[in-house]
């Protein structure tokens, strides 16, 4: 089901001929979708902000992303409307932002809209003063009043009137929202370290929200929670509590059986709209699939159940087939829509399925329909079916594979959803982490090769000046200085790729990126990393990401990465900063655990003596060294830091590698806990046994 996707601005040939705004020079597929709107859009930048001040006009800031269904709807209904666009152009300075390119702007003004309305989402539409202070906002506005929502035209007219005739009220409102926002985003330095009892309490609170029938946490809509699931796996390893493990396995099983999983092409959709994981919101994001692939790999290591390895493998294969770009990086997303309809590419009527299985015996067709839950009535809109695995229905593996091949062939003739092919540093860091972990856990050469190619892409396209990053790259153009999440997620991926592949250059680059982030982005007063630094323009408040959303927060990743790098480099300052981050969130860890899944994992690491395994070899690409790395990674010991050293490596003088050499020229493993090491071994089975012994000891 692989192929090539390119975004097109489906706004009609006449409109494209008549209009071309400033977004036509951008690289973001989302911005390019709006490049032929009659709205006089500006990208975020000095030109737009200066224009607003010069004209003394309010700013209309609209934030979205390429795979956003309701963003497409609002564009068709309002931003392509000539009369609405004329009013916008005459009375506002209109700015379009891709939230994925500018997470700092998105997080800041999302917090403002949530403060003003109590909710948020995309498209995010905010009205600002020329000094960037927000005074009104919302999400989707329809073209006419409906369902209690005011029309977009009525909103525009009311805002224009207020700004023209009641400027003092607007200024007071903007000042109040801005003051609230700054107070809300302020970080109070912590004073108390996380405690083991808090982690136990966090498990209990997570369990209170667990859905024992369908898996997952809370009611519909159901979102994957890979960070929470990985924390629960850690908790189960310590406690041995079957109920804790059941929360993980029930959720992973339900997602892999549900419609959120693409049973033909692989890969997970963004979330399920129902409690049963049946009907997804069909967009597929790189970060979801990278994070879930890693979670399934960890479940495989913990349980040795083959279905988790299979799901992880098929997720990684989906990423390689459908998201990898010609440059070796990974595209951001596949759209939910095709031909103007959400899910059209993925859903099947009973007749379509049976037609695609032409040549199968009638009883085989019936078995396929039953095995994937397809009925004449359908389980979704207009008699269509979302493929899923109904409980208790047998489905022969050989028949399923034959049917999958046939349906993929039929699906390939459909119009594909668009692909957002911009390559984001942070999201590619998550992809690198998943691919590298897949390479060492599953022993798959293609994942190792893809990880190496991805590091090469980062070095060619995203890295500059040796230790600085660009946020985004597309069509050979890279731009926008990297944010905190870019530095920390890429460092996380590089540590994983070093663990899997043994390449010292990956380890050294991780160190350089973390040192640059510490120099430019560390807020010593708050004791956390900020998202923006000296390369970014000033804003009304500085964003510091602590809470996990769809992806792990910058500081939760940092708390984990810094501990691992401190062990590897011997740099106590890195460990000190990691512990300052953990102190900043310690009071909330057990009260709001689903917001801190990765941070809880970092706290778990901080409460143990350090555990490491070093593979020393004359060449780190020695097959014997690779065999030792695979043996060391096989047992489920998530706090183990795996590293390699070879003759002449630039990292060979780091304290952790001191005295660790290939004995008699043979690749040798050194397993250590709390700086006390087991006997060196060249035997992969002995290396596995040493790690398993540490795992049984509860480390």
């Amino acid at each position: 089901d692989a192929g090539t996707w390119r975004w097109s601005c489906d706004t009609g040939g006449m409109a494209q001929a008549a209009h071309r705004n400033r977004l036509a020079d951008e690289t973001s597929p989302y911005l390019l979708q709006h490049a032929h709107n009659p709205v006089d859009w500006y990208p975020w930048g000095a030109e737009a902000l200066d224009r607003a001040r010069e004209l003394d006009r309010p700013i209309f800031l609209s934030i979205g992303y390429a795979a956003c269904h309701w963003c497409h709807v609002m564009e068709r209904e309002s931003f392509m409307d000539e009369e609405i666009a004329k009013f916008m152009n005459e009375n506002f300075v209109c700015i379009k932002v891709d939230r994925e390119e500018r997470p700092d702007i998105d997080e800041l003004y999302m917090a403002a809209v949530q403060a003003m309305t109590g909710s948020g989402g995309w498209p995010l539409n905010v009205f600002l003063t020329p000094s960037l202070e927000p005074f009104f906002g919302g999400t989707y506005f329809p073209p006419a009043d409906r369902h209690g929502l005011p029309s977009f035209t009525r909103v525009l007219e009311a805002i224009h009137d207020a700004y023209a005739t009641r400027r003092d009220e607007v200024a007071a409102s903007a000042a109040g929202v801005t003051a609230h926002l700054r107070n809300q985003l302020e970080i109070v330095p912590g004073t108390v370290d996380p405690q083991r009892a808090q982690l136990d309490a966090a498990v209990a609170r997570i369990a209170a929200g667990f859905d024992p029938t369908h898996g997952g946490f809370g009611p519909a809509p159901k979102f994957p929670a890979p960070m929470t699931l990985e924390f629960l796996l850690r908790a189960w390893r310590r406690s041995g509590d079957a109920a804790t493990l059941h929360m993980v396995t029930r959720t992973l099983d339900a997602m892999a059986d549900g419609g959120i999983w693409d049973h033909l092409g692989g890969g997970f959709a963004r979330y399920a709209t129902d409690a049963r994981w049946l009907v997804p919101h069909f967009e597929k994001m790189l970060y979801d699939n990278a994070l879930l692939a890693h979670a399934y790999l960890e479940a495989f290591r913990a349980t040795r159940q083959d279905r988790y390895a299979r799901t992880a493998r098929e997720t990684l294969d989906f990423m390689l087939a459908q998201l990898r770009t010609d440059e070796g990086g990974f595209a951001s997303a596949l759209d939910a829509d095709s031909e103007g309809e959400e899910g059209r590419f993925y859903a099947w009527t009973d007749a379509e399925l049976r037609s695609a299985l032409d040549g199968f015996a009638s009883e085989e067709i019936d078995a396929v329909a039953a095995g994937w839950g397809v009925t004449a009535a359908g389980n979704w809109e207009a008699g269509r079916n979302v493929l899923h695995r109904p409980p208790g229905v047998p489905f022969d593996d050989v028949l399923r594979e034959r049917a999958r091949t046939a349906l993929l062939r039929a699906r390939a003739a459909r119009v594909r959803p668009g692909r957002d092919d911009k390559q984001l540093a942070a999201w590619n860091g998550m992809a690198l982490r998943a691919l590298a972990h897949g390479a060492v856990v599953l022993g798959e050469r293609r994942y190792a090769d893809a990880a190496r190619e991805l590091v090469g892409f980062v070095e060619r396209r995203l890295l500059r000046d040796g230790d600085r990053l660009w946020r985004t790259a597309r069509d050979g153009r890279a731009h926008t200085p990297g944010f905190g999440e870019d530095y920390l997620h890429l460092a996380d991926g590089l540590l994983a790729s070093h663990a899997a592949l043994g390449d010292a250059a990956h380890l050294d680059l991780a160190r350089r990126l973390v040192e640059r982030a510490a120099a430019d982005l560390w807020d010593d007063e708050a004791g956390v990393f900020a998202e923006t630094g000296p390369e970014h323009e000033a804003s009304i408040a500085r964003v510091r990401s602590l809470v996990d959303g769809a992806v792990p927060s910058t500081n939760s990743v940092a708390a984990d990465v810094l501990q691992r790098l401190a062990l590897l480099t011997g740099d106590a300052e890195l460990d000190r900063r990691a512990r300052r981050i953990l102190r900043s969130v310690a009071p909330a860890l057990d009260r709001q655990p689903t917001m801190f899944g990765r941070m809880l994992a970092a706290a778990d690491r901080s409460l143990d003596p350090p555990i490491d395994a070093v593979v020393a070899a004359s060449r780190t690409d020695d097959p014997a060294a690779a065999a030792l790395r695979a043996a060391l990674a096989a047992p489920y010991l998530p706090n183990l830091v795996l590293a390699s050293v070879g003759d002449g490596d630039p990292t060979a003088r780091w304290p952790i590698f001191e005295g660790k050499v290939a004995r008699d020229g043979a690749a040798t493993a050194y397993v250590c806990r709390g700086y006390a090491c087991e006997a060196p071994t060249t035997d992969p089975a002995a290396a596995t046994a040493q790690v398993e012994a540490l795992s049984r000891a509860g480390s």
Side-chain angles (χ1 to χ4, degrees):
D1 200 31
T4 300
W5 292 257
R6 300 292 290 179
W7 281 102
S8 61
C9 299
D10 186 16
T11 53
M14 293 294 291
Q16 293 194 37
H19 301 290
R20 184 182 188 277
N21 58 51
R22 294 168 183 82
L23 301 185
D25 297 323
E26 295 297 304
T27 63
S28 158
Y30 175 66
L31 299 186
L32 291 172
Q33 287 172 359
H34 294 77
H36 298 284
N37 294 168
V39 178
D40 186 19
W41 292 116
Y42 289 79
W44 183 274
E47 182 184 8
L49 306 183
D50 290 345
R51 186 67 171 161
R53 288 188 286 267
E54 175 190 337
L55 297 177
D56 189 26
R57 285 185 186 173
I59 293 168
F60 172 65
L61 173 64
S62 183
I63 303 174
Y65 59 103
C68 168
H69 172 73
W70 288 102
C71 300
H72 300 331
V73 173
M74 192 164 179
E75 185 207 8
R76 290 195 298 268
E77 292 177 341
S78 295
F79 302 147
M80 285 303 300
D81 184 285
E82 297 280 353
E83 289 302 313
I84 292 176
K86 183 174 184 292
F87 190 85
M88 293 171 69
N89 296 339
E90 291 175 350
N91 297 290
F92 301 91
V93 171
C94 303
I95 300 178
K96 253 297 170 194
V97 165
D98 182 336
R99 67 174 291 261
E100 296 167 355
E101 284 194 338
R102 293 303 303 255
D104 57 325
I105 297 170
D106 178 60
E107 187 166 346
L108 180 64
Y109 290 110
M110 179 65 76
V113 169
Q114 288 173 332
M116 287 186 279
T117 69
S119 63
W122 298 278
L124 184 68
N125 296 301
V126 198
F127 294 88
L128 318 177
T129 67
S131 57
L132 305 184
E133 295 183 330
F135 62 91
F136 183 81
T139 54
Y140 166 77
F141 293 107
D145 294 353
R146 64 173 181 242
H147 305 307
L149 293 174
S151 73
F152 187 49
T153 299
R154 193 148 66 88
V155 169
L156 291 171
E157 290 171 346
I159 295 296
H160 169 62
D161 179 70
Y163 197 81
T165 64
R166 302 189 303 280
R167 182 73 63 86
D168 290 348
E169 293 178 24
V170 170
S173 175
V177 172
T178 301
H180 175 82
L181 197 58
R182 288 172 176 156
N183 182 66
Q184 178 182 339
L185 295 175
E186 192 67 28
I187 304 296
V188 178
T191 58
V192 179
D193 291 321
Q195 303 297 312
R196 179 65 63 192
Q198 283 186 282
L199 274 60
D200 296 338
V203 173
R205 189 173 288 270
I206 292 169
F210 175 64
D211 179 348
T213 303
H214 304 296
F217 306 95
K222 282 274 183 70
F223 287 84
M227 293 82 79
T228 297
L229 295 174
E230 288 199 28
F231 166 66
L232 289 174
L233 274 178
R234 286 169 170 264
W236 164 76
R237 192 187 66 81
R238 291 183 177 282
S239 68
D241 177 54
T244 300
L245 180 61
H246 177 70
M247 286 191 281
V248 178
T249 58
R250 180 71 191 99
T251 301
L252 294 177
D253 291 346
M255 288 194 298
D257 285 342
I260 193 174
W261 170 252
D262 182 351
H263 290 263
L264 302 183
F268 287 93
R270 174 78 276 270
Y271 62 87
T273 60
D274 62 318
R276 296 186 295 146
W277 303 103
L278 174 61
V279 178
H281 181 40
F282 288 90
E283 64 188 2
K284 290 180 177 179
M285 312 301 295
L286 173 61
Y287 59 75
D288 282 321
N289 285 281
L291 293 168
L292 283 166
H294 194 277
Y296 278 91
L297 288 167
E298 289 296 84
F300 170 65
R301 287 210 300 161
T303 68
R304 309 311 295 183
Q305 291 189 29
D306 287 341
R307 76 166 304 183
Y308 300 134
R310 183 174 65 251
T311 304
R313 185 179 289 108
E314 292 177 1
T315 304
L316 294 173
D317 287 345
F318 155 76
M319 290 166 53
L320 293 179
Q322 301 191 32
L323 294 178
R324 187 161 55 168
T325 70
D326 292 341
E327 295 184 283
F330 283 80
S332 296
L334 300 182
D335 196 4
D337 298 8
S338 57
E339 301 183 81
E341 293 183 28
E342 184 176 7
R344 184 177 182 84
F345 183 73
Y346 299 101
W348 298 80
T349 65
D350 182 67
E352 286 171 338
L353 179 130
R354 291 176 182 275
S355 175
L357 297 176
D358 183 41
F360 283 60
S362 60
E363 63 271 15
E364 289 179 324
I365 295 174
D366 289 342
V368 170
W372 275 325
V374 174
T375 66
N379 57 34
W380 191 44
E381 299 171 348
R384 289 182 289 173
N385 292 270
V386 177
L387 303 187
H388 66 290
R389 291 285 292 113
V393 177
F395 199 170
D396 176 73
D397 288 344
V398 174
L399 176 61
R400 181 169 63 238
E401 187 57 28
R402 286 176 54 217
R404 190 178 77 88
T405 301
L407 293 182
L408 279 174
R409 188 182 304 115
R411 195 169 83 170
R414 297 177 176 180
V415 175
R416 295 182 182 278
R419 184 172 80 159
D420 182 338
D421 56 0
K422 70 177 180 294
Q423 298 150 112
L424 299 172
W427 297 12
N428 274 266
M430 294 176 226
L432 179 59
R433 173 176 176 253
L435 287 165
H437 204 42
V440 72
V441 171
L442 302 176
E444 298 281 2
R445 173 75 175 271
R446 63 186 182 278
Y447 304 143
D449 291 344
R452 289 190 186 92
E453 290 178 14
L454 179 48
V455 175
F457 161 76
V458 169
E459 292 173 334
R460 291 190 311 275
R461 293 286 183 244
L462 298 177
L463 186 66
R464 55 197 168 91
D465 304 327
D467 63 356
R468 294 184 187 275
L469 292 171
W470 293 120
R471 166 68 173 178
T472 183
R474 182 174 181 267
D475 285 346
R477 291 173 56 194
H479 60 87
T480 305
F483 300 99
E485 71 171 20
D486 296 310
Y487 285 89
L488 274 305
H489 276 289
L490 264 177
D492 192 25
L494 287 161
L495 290 180
S497 66
H498 171 74
L501 309 177
D503 192 325
H506 298 186
L507 179 55
D508 190 55
L509 179 55
R511 175 192 60 82
R512 297 201 311 271
L513 293 180
V514 168
E515 288 179 351
R516 172 51 56 194
D520 288 355
L521 304 171
W522 179 255
D523 183 339
D524 199 53
E525 183 177 342
V528 298
F529 283 96
E531 290 302 320
T532 55
E535 291 193 294
H536 302 96
E537 67 271 11
S539 63
I540 60 171
R542 199 177 186 195
V543 173
R544 306 165 187 86
S545 175
L546 290 171
V547 174
D548 290 346
V551 301
S553 74
T554 296
N555 281 286
S556 66
V557 176
D560 191 54
V561 166
L562 266 60
Q563 289 182 75
R564 288 146 65 198
L565 265 180
L567 174 61
L568 292 167
T569 63
D571 186 346
E573 177 63 16
L574 295 175
D575 188 69
R576 184 187 72 84
R577 290 186 179 185
R579 293 178 187 279
R580 287 197 67 190
I581 294 170
L582 289 168
R583 289 186 196 116
S584 71
V585 298
L589 287 178
D590 52 337
R591 296 200 305 267
Q592 298 172 304
T594 56
M595 299 171 68
F596 294 105
R598 186 71 188 270
M599 193 76 78
L600 285 161
D604 178 74
R605 182 183 298 278
S606 75
L607 293 167
D608 265 347
I611 311 164
D612 64 87
V614 171
V615 175
S618 56
R619 300 183 350 266
T620 50
D621 61 353
D622 180 350
L628 283 172
R629 285 191 290 271
L632 292 163
Y636 179 63
L637 187 59
N639 285 338
L640 178 72
V641 175
L642 177 57
S644 296
V645 64
D647 295 344
D649 282 352
T651 56
R653 294 184 179 180
W654 291 9
I656 196 169
F657 300 125
E658 185 176 353
K660 294 172 183 173
V661 297
R663 296 199 158 194
D664 300 322
T668 306
Y670 298 79
V671 177
C672 307
R673 179 180 185 272
Y675 307 103
C677 297
E678 303 294 321
T681 182
T682 60
D683 179 9
T688 297
Q690 289 179 352
V691 175
E692 286 176 338
L694 288 179
S695 183
R696 287 193 299 271
S699 298

